[in-house]
Amino acid sequence: MAASEARADCSEAALAEALADVPELARLLEIDPYLKPFAQDFQRRYKRFNETLNNIGENEGGIDKFSRGYESFGVHRCADGGLYCKEWAPGAEGVFLTGDFNDWNPFSYPYKKLDYGKWELYIPPKRNKSLLVPHGSKLKVVIRSKSGEILYRISPWAKYVTREGDNVNYDWIHWDPEHPYKFKHSKPKKPRGLRIYESHVGISSYEGKIASYKHFTCNVLPRIKDLGYNCIQMMAIMEHAYYASFGYQITSFFAASSRYGTPEELKELVDTAHSMGITVLLDVVHSHASKNSEDGLNMFDGTDSCYFHSGPRGNHDLWDSRLFAYSSWEVLRFLLSNIRWWVEEYGFDGFRFDGVTSMLYHHHGMGQGFSGDYHEYFGLQVDEDALIYLMLANHLIHTLYPDSITVAEDVSGMPALCSPISQGGVGFDYRLAMAIPDKWIQVRFHVIFFFPVNTIFNTCHLKKKNAVVFSFLTLALVGDKTLAFWLMDAEMYTNMSVLTPFTPVIDRGIQLHKMIRLITHALGGEGYLNFMGNEFGHPEWLDFPRKGNNESYHYARRQFHLTDDDLLRYKFLNNFDRDMNKLEERCGWLSAPQAHVSEKHEANKIIAFERAGLLFIFNFHPSKSYTDYRVGTTCTFKIVLDTDAAEYGGHQRLDHNTDFFSEDFKHNERPYSLLVSKVFKIF
């Protein structure tokens, strides 16, 4: 037998074995035949996932029980009024509890050492049965390291931490209120098409300060509802000591950020959103952790490992943070329990997993350009420990909470990320298609003068399923500008009043801002994500208080008052966003099959496509309008959304009472076509 024939037989045998081991792998390979050479990779991943899941079942009684670590780890009040405490500190020589309750005596309450690096402590109640550690008490775990060093630590399972006054470090506060918040409203049904409003509580006021959960509940949630969004994605909720980290350097994973208010006030926010029919997703950051040791996970037991990899593998050089050891049994318990905690305790409906690209690869995506060659997604560069963790996380969420939603923030385009685990996939419901906002960033200079139709079309018209598209946060970060500011720049300060005539810059910017949002919404994927403020063309950029800006809050706020002012043109952009979302709710294009594109004409700057029974026609030409422009289609149409309408700051050049009848005239590979009387230029 020739060598090539032997390899073919081996390959066929390997494929048959993979198909036997992974229940629905055949379905995945039918959808994407180019994945066949990597069938053994899917087989290995699936087998590792199953082995881990079976080990959890054999040793912990199943993933349901395993993911309830928060019920025993940390500090808990017992029915008799006593206190049960438990920690995992494999590198510690001794563990103690101290705090207000024992006048900060560091050694009077020692933990008992258990197997596998665990420690436990039971403190009986007072003789009068009153609480030894009442709600609001300050606590610390004391670690005696193997070198004899005495370390004061916050429990990794702490439910509430806060910083008082000018203190640098956070304090651990025992959170055990007598009357915890009780949820009043049931969760909304899983949305058919996700329209996500990406939110940050702290910047949700126009005032130069940190806004509160209460403020967001009373002032921002009604805006979100009115705009037609059916989902909010909440950033920066997991506690982070450094505000300017945008919430991505987590110090306490089980604590809701105290800078916005109390845990009970966050619960009220989520409950109120549910009463409005709004799904609430949490930005969960399991890709890395803060390097803080005084009030973070780092060096918890006096070693550089514990929750993280030891040595260089445990450090993210670009983010200056620590990286979890995902294959560690107790790290898996900690992270899976963390997911469970936010659902059970706070009522979140799902998660947007941050930094998935960093998790998936040993190179963390640093210095890597992903061309789409499938070899980039398999092989030794893939961190399969992290990948298996993500599979377990999705399995946990979708098994226990079938209506929950998971979104992966992955810029690499990892194949099968949103395929079911039974197919060998990772199990996410959606991924963020970051290529689209990135492309808008690339063309932002050119879009002022001409529109690269093919470039934008090829980016927006995603072939891959389950994409949530468009986060303007990327465009708005410090050192950059919001999309509106790129389009209109300094004239936003002087020419946004309705009492003054349109200038060419403001006219062009307003029209393009609407068109960019609509084509992304309608053509881009199965979900749409807007960062708060972009709906009305928020000016300037986003920058949190830090030393580099003299701790200023000037750019760490959302100027909602601009859209409430009837004398300013921001209201037009806001109106358009609302009606665009409500039209999608009525017609459902996000849940419809991908668009049929009949035209993308580079010279004419025309893009035309059909989706969900709607015909979308865009003229991105900066100076040329068209009369009786023929567009291929199958139906008769009326205008239902017009960027040129008066309520959106347009010029009212179209008659909305006109019916557009299709003719038995083939055009652009469509069986029928119609003549659109006017297709107007941008301005």
Side-chain angles (χ1 to χ4, degrees), residues 586-597:
R586 192 163 82 242
C587 300
W589 64 68
L590 289 173
S591 57
Q594 274 295 327
H596 180 93
V597 180

Side-chain angles (χ1 to χ4, degrees), residues 571-643:
K571 65 180 182 181
F572 298 136
L573 297 174
N574 193 77
N575 292 344
F576 181 77
D577 209 75
R578 179 194 62 225
D579 292 352
M580 175 178 65
N581 280 323
K582 292 192 173 178
L583 180 62
E584 195 289 323
E585 184 176 7
R586 192 163 82 242
C587 300
W589 64 68
L590 289 173
S591 57
Q594 274 295 327
H596 180 93
V597 180
S598 58
E599 182 163 353
K600 51 182 179 76
H601 200 294
E602 189 65 64
N604 292 344
K605 304 300 180 189
I606 297 286
I607 295 178
F609 59 89
E610 293 167 88
R611 192 175 184 188
L614 298 171
L615 173 62
F616 295 85
I617 306 172
F618 293 85
N619 178 11
F620 283 101
H621 205 290
S623 59
K624 190 175 182 180
S625 298
Y626 302 95
T627 301
D628 294 333
Y629 196 92
R630 186 169 294 280
V631 179
T633 185
T634 58
C635 305
T636 299
F637 294 92
K638 287 183 72 71
I639 295 173
V640 292
L641 188 65
D642 174 15
T643 62

Side-chain angles (χ1 to χ4, degrees), residues 100 136-138 160-173 258:
D100 294 335
S137 301
K138 290 183 181 179
Y160 186 69
V161 298
T162 190
R163 184 161 51 196
E164 295 184 351
D166 296 329
N167 290 351
V168 174
N169 296 320
Y170 275 70
D171 291 313
W172 171 20
I173 307 297
S258 61

Side-chain angles (χ1 to χ4, degrees), residues 63-84:
I63 198 168
D64 184 351
K65 185 177 178 182
F66 187 60
S67 60
R68 294 179 180 271
Y70 53 82
E71 293 182 349
S72 58
F73 284 86
V75 173
H76 302 272
R77 174 159 49 98
C78 303
D80 64 0
L83 214 63
Y84 179 75

Side-chain angles (χ1 to χ4, degrees), residues 324-515:
F324 288 104
Y326 297 105
S327 60
S328 165
W329 193 260
E330 292 304 324
V331 171
L332 282 180
R333 186 198 307 277
F334 180 79
L335 295 176
L336 292 173
S337 297
N338 190 234
I339 287 170
R340 185 81 179 267
W341 166 258
W342 291 104
V343 178
E344 295 283 349
E345 185 70 12
Y346 287 95
F348 283 97
D349 305 297
F351 303 92
R352 179 264 202 180
F353 281 73
D354 178 72
V356 167
T357 304
S358 176
M359 298 174 71
L360 289 174
Y361 308 97
H362 290 294
H363 53 64
H364 309 301
M366 293 187 291
Q368 298 290 318
F370 292 93
S371 66
D373 184 333
Y374 276 8
H375 289 88
E376 297 168 344
Y377 308 113
F378 302 94
L380 296 178
Q381 67 265 34
V382 177
D383 187 342
E384 291 199 347
D385 291 344
L387 189 142
I388 300 307
Y389 162 67
L390 291 171
M391 293 173 73
L392 288 167
N394 276 299
H395 172 79
L396 171 73
I397 294 164
H398 292 119
T399 300
L400 298 182
Y401 314 104
D403 286 333
S404 288
I405 297 166
T406 59
V407 182
E409 190 246 324
D410 170 47
V411 299
S412 75
M414 166 73 79
L417 192 68
C418 293
S419 297
I421 293 171
S422 58
Q423 293 180 8
V426 185
F428 283 101
D429 295 305
Y430 299 91
R431 66 179 180 88
L432 280 179
M434 299 299 290
I436 294 179
D438 288 347
K439 184 57 67 177
W440 288 121
I441 293 172
Q442 290 175 27
V443 304
R444 60 193 169 200
F445 298 108
H446 307 291
V447 86
I448 295 174
F449 303 106
F450 70 91
F451 191 84
V453 164
N454 284 315
T455 300
I456 292 302
F457 170 81
N458 291 334
T459 305
C460 286
H461 191 217
L462 295 168
K463 303 293 185 184
K464 297 177 182 178
K465 289 184 62 182
N466 305 96
V468 174
V469 298
F470 221 29
S471 168
F472 275 104
L473 174 61
T474 310
L475 282 72
L477 297 182
V478 61
D480 215 320
K481 304 174 185 179
T482 63
L483 183 64
F485 211 51
W486 273 114
L487 295 173
M488 295 176 274
D489 212 86
E491 287 202 26
M492 294 189 80
Y493 296 122
T494 57
N495 297 322
M496 286 296 278
S497 171
V498 298
L499 302 178
T500 61
F502 263 131
T503 66
V505 169
I506 294 298
D507 190 3
R508 178 185 60 225
I510 284 178
Q511 312 318 325
L512 274 173
H513 200 278
K514 290 177 290 185
M515 294 168 72

Side-chain angles (χ1 to χ4, degrees), residues 89-96 110-113 117-119 142-151 300-303:
E93 195 66 31
V95 180
F96 309 84
Y111 284 65
K112 175 185 175 183
K113 189 172 185 179
K118 298 174 189 174
W119 302 77
V142 180
I143 302 288
R144 180 190 287 128
S145 72
K146 291 186 176 177
S147 65
E149 188 178 6
I150 302 301
L151 307 169
F300 174 68
D301 64 355
T303 71

